[in-house]
Amino acid sequence: MDLNLLFYALIFLVSYIITQKLLHKLRKLPPTPFPTLPILGHLHLLKSSTQIHRTLAKVSDRYGPVVQLWLGYRRTLLVSSASAAEDCLHHNDVIFANRPRLLGGKILAYDYTTLLWAPYGSLWRNHRRIAATEILSPHRLHLLADIRADEVRSLLKNINDQAALGNDSKVEIKTALVELTYNIMMRMIAGKRMDSEEGKRFKLLLKELLSLGGAFNPGDFFPFFKYLGLNKAAEKKITAIFVKLDGFFQELVDEQRRIMEKEGDSDGNNMKSKNLIQVLLGLQKTDPTYSTNDIIKGLIQILFLTGTETSSSTVEWATALLLKHPEIQDKVRKEIIEQVGHDRLIEEHDLQHLPYLHCIINETLRMYPVAPIVPPHESSEDCVVGGYHIPKGTMLNVNLWAIQNDPKVWDEPRQFKPERFENVEGERIGYKFMPFGSGRRSCPGENMAKRVVGLALGSLIQCFEWEGGEEEIDMEEQVSVSMWKANPLQAKFKPRKQMIKLLSQI
């Protein structure tokens, strides 16, 4: 009897697998790794969350550039080629303009109402319009150029002061770069620096938040966790961080509202003197239905999340790569000296005349994209990607790292070769290189990031001789919200003889 049951169970299992494979082919669905485990789906394949980009690249190497995965109950499309990415982010851009409903988006993003997590529709269009015209427009960025210049000079002074101590010690450059980007963002947003106790408190809060970036929330993939109350621990942890962050942002908004009321605000005020919170509070008066306090705080949150760690990490990666390739460092320094000289510090308007510096930044972003896995999208209706049928409600993950390091597309992709970007018309080579994403959901802060990274990196190259030490520079990656160096870079920065006098005057 037991043998008969085992026999029928085996027949049933084999029939089920064959039937599923036939249905899969008939529906023209993308290839799916075998086996798909009950309940878990393919979560067993995602063994390393800190190296998720490499883990997913191995899946694509085996099954192809368009793969269907089941992450718990969620049908997921993994895309790892430029042509498939173009299908998703260009041909089907509107269809994939939505975001999946994940726990982090509900709690941290004010119930899916921030620019990053808002569903495609009128609210998102309002966000994008405000970001493009009032916050990150070329005119607004030009008005705030002095802030970026001041903070880069402060970075140079701090490094020069450490070098002047004469103890021949190394500088952990990431700490200095984080200070730079945090102060730039805080001055743009609230008109003050982060060197107070208030600033220290915020840095700790943001660190807590970023630590959750790659966290796995079971309720996002197993609905029964929510129904049985098994997701409460994750919700409690995220909510605790959100409450503290929300309180911090509310204090900033209240402070700027008091300042505006005290000074008396009018449309005729000099736009250059207004910080971004004041601009948003001005919009609140004309459109209170849209510009609520939560919307303003959500915009502030996104600016901090996307404009601090990402830029500082890019400069750190570029610095590490140049330390490993001193001949490239010499070449770009020569370009800077020819265009700027030694009589003044590099300024933002010089960046347009430094094409090789841009090549270095682009090559850094190609090898170490700040978001190796593009923030998830979700299909709003059925569509076709790479010739495969993609059902409505499929979550999309684009492996940007795999696309930008594909040996079929890039010659020696793990070799640092800035020259590959020389004489390239436009900075996007089709969909082979898109470090800021593409389509409607691309990063609106691209122009600001390029200015900060270009000015900071160019200034460090112009002013200092770098030395990494005798040890091999560790280039291991760690992925959370963005791609970081697993071990922060430490290097010696010695003022160049020609720049000592100028640096002493900062």
Side-chain angles (χ1 to χ4, degrees):
M1 184 66 178
D2 290 340
L3 287 175
N4 286 335
L5 282 174
L6 183 62
F7 174 75
Y8 288 125
L10 185 62
I11 292 293
F12 174 79
L13 180 61
V14 171
S15 301
Y16 175 79
I17 292 172
I18 293 173
T19 302
Q20 288 297 108
K21 284 186 172 293
L22 285 173
L23 289 173
H24 197 94
K25 288 185 177 181
L26 288 173
R27 296 183 65 191
K28 295 185 177 179
L29 295 172
T32 299
F34 179 83
T36 304
L37 299 180
I39 302 177
L40 290 177
H42 297 103
L43 285 170
H44 63 284
L45 297 176
L46 312 184
K47 297 176 182 178
S48 173
S49 60
T50 59
Q51 296 279 312
I52 189 67
H53 55 299
R54 291 181 179 273
T55 300
L56 292 176
K58 290 178 182 177
V59 173
S60 296
D61 287 343
R62 182 172 181 181
Y63 295 98
V66 181
V67 180
Q68 177 180 273
L69 299 173
W70 285 97
L71 305 183
Y73 86 103
R74 284 188 181 274
R75 186 196 301 268
T76 303
L77 180 67
L78 173 61
V79 164
S80 305
S81 74
S83 59
E86 184 175 7
D87 275 352
C88 296
L89 305 178
H90 178 65
H91 303 305
N92 294 306
D93 187 19
V94 175
I95 292 174
F96 280 110
N98 269 324
R99 296 289 192 204
R101 309 287 263 190
L102 303 179
L103 181 64
K106 178 174 178 58
I107 298 175
L108 295 172
Y110 296 90
D111 198 17
Y112 310 106
T113 59
T114 65
L115 177 61
L116 180 63
W117 286 102
Y120 183 62
S122 58
L123 175 63
W124 176 84
R125 280 190 286 270
N126 263 329
H127 280 327
R128 192 76 178 191
R129 176 179 58 82
I130 295 300
T133 60
E134 302 289 349
I135 300 176
L136 298 168
S137 68
H139 177 65
R140 167 59 59 177
L141 292 177
H142 176 70
L143 290 177
L144 299 173
D146 288 347
I147 290 176
R148 296 188 291 276
D150 284 348
E151 292 303 327
V152 169
R153 280 157 176 71
S154 179
L155 168 73
L156 299 177
K157 183 181 186 305
N158 290 339
I159 294 177
N160 188 51
D161 288 348
Q162 291 189 52
L165 295 175
N167 56 10
D168 203 33
S169 62
K170 293 182 179 181
V171 175
E172 188 176 295
I173 190 66
K174 180 62 181 290
T175 302
L177 293 171
V178 166
E179 289 290 328
L180 166 73
T181 54
Y182 276 23
N183 281 321
I184 287 175
M185 198 56 62
M186 182 60 100
R187 287 182 65 183
M188 288 174 59
I189 288 171
K192 59 183 179 181
R193 301 184 84 246
M194 271 205 178
D195 49 10
S196 63
E197 286 301 318
E198 179 185 55
K200 293 177 183 177
R201 177 164 65 97
F202 175 72
K203 290 173 195 175
L204 289 174
L205 290 175
L206 201 59
K207 187 175 181 179
E208 283 187 70
L209 177 61
L210 292 172
S211 70
L212 292 175
F216 176 79
N217 294 308
D220 290 333
F221 305 101
F222 306 114
F224 61 85
F225 269 66
K226 299 177 187 177
Y227 304 140
L228 298 177
L230 300 177
N231 209 40
K232 286 185 178 179
E235 289 185 27
K236 188 176 180 180
K237 186 176 182 180
I238 296 173
T239 301
I241 295 175
F242 168 74
V243 168
K244 290 185 282 187
L245 272 173
D246 178 68
F248 181 86
F249 293 140
Q250 188 63 57
E251 288 174 15
L252 291 181
V253 173
D254 290 341
E255 179 185 23
Q256 295 306 312
R257 184 179 281 113
R258 287 193 298 270
I259 291 172
M260 292 174 68
E261 290 172 352
K262 183 178 179 180
E263 295 179 351
D265 185 52
S266 68
D267 292 337
N269 280 0
N270 183 5
M271 285 295 290
K272 190 170 183 177
S273 67
K274 288 186 175 183
N275 57 57
L276 297 182
I277 292 180
Q278 291 175 345
V279 171
L280 294 171
L281 287 173
L283 294 173
Q284 191 178 68
K285 293 181 178 180
T286 58
D287 188 4
T289 304
Y290 165 69
S291 299
T292 63
N293 281 353
D294 282 356
I295 293 295
I296 292 174
K297 288 182 288 185
L299 284 168
I300 296 170
Q301 181 197 92
I302 293 302
L303 287 170
F304 273 119
L305 284 176
T306 60
T308 53
E309 289 286 340
T310 52
S311 295
S312 60
S313 291
T314 300
V315 179
E316 184 186 27
W317 282 117
T319 305
L321 288 164
L322 290 173
L323 279 168
K324 288 174 71 71
H325 299 85
E327 73 286 357
I328 295 176
Q329 184 185 153
D330 291 341
K331 182 176 178 179
V332 69
R333 181 175 287 123
K334 182 180 178 182
E335 177 185 68
I336 291 171
I337 293 170
E338 289 176 352
Q339 292 296 326
V340 182
H342 294 118
D343 298 327
R344 65 179 179 86
L345 294 173
I346 186 173
E347 298 177 9
E348 269 190 19
H349 64 78
D350 296 312
L351 296 178
Q352 61 185 311
H353 305 299
L354 301 171
Y356 194 63
L357 177 63
H358 285 291
C359 290
I360 288 171
I361 293 170
N362 284 338
E363 178 71 343
T364 301
L365 288 169
R366 182 193 67 79
M367 295 180 70
Y368 300 97
V370 292
I373 306 296
V374 174
H377 296 233
E378 187 173 89
S379 59
S380 57
E381 57 184 79
D382 290 6
C383 61
V384 175
V385 173
Y388 298 109
H389 173 74
I390 309 301
K392 175 182 177 179
T394 299
M395 186 167 74
L396 169 66
N397 282 322
V398 178
N399 192 340
L400 186 60
W401 181 87
I403 294 171
Q404 294 185 172
N405 288 272
D406 186 349
K408 299 187 183 92
V409 174
W410 300 92
D411 177 45
E412 295 183 299
R414 297 313 295 166
Q415 294 298 312
F416 183 55
K417 296 181 179 180
E419 288 75 14
R420 68 174 96 232
F421 285 96
E422 287 182 330
N423 303 315
V424 173
E425 292 186 14
E427 294 192 347
R428 178 179 289 117
I429 311 170
Y431 284 76
K432 296 183 293 184
F433 176 72
M434 45 176 182
F436 295 93
S438 184
R440 285 166 172 78
R441 287 287 186 170
S442 62
C443 177
E446 179 175 352
N447 286 334
M448 186 176 75
K450 287 180 178 177
R451 294 178 191 224
V452 172
V453 171
L455 186 60
L457 183 61
S459 298
L460 290 172
I461 294 168
Q462 180 193 25
C463 294
F464 299 100
E465 301 286 354
W466 305 353
E467 183 181 334
E470 297 179 0
E471 314 88 35
E472 180 69 19
I473 296 171
D474 182 5
M475 300 297 283
E476 184 181 351
E477 314 120 6
Q478 180 174 335
V479 176
S480 180
V481 172
S482 59
M483 182 185 282
W484 306 331
K485 282 186 93 283
N487 298 297
L489 174 68
Q490 293 187 339
K492 296 176 184 177
F493 291 84
K494 181 180 178 181
R496 297 180 60 239
K497 292 180 180 178
Q498 302 92 327
M499 301 300 294
I500 290 176
K501 182 178 179 181
L502 201 57
L503 283 168
S504 67
Q505 295 171 354
I506 298 177

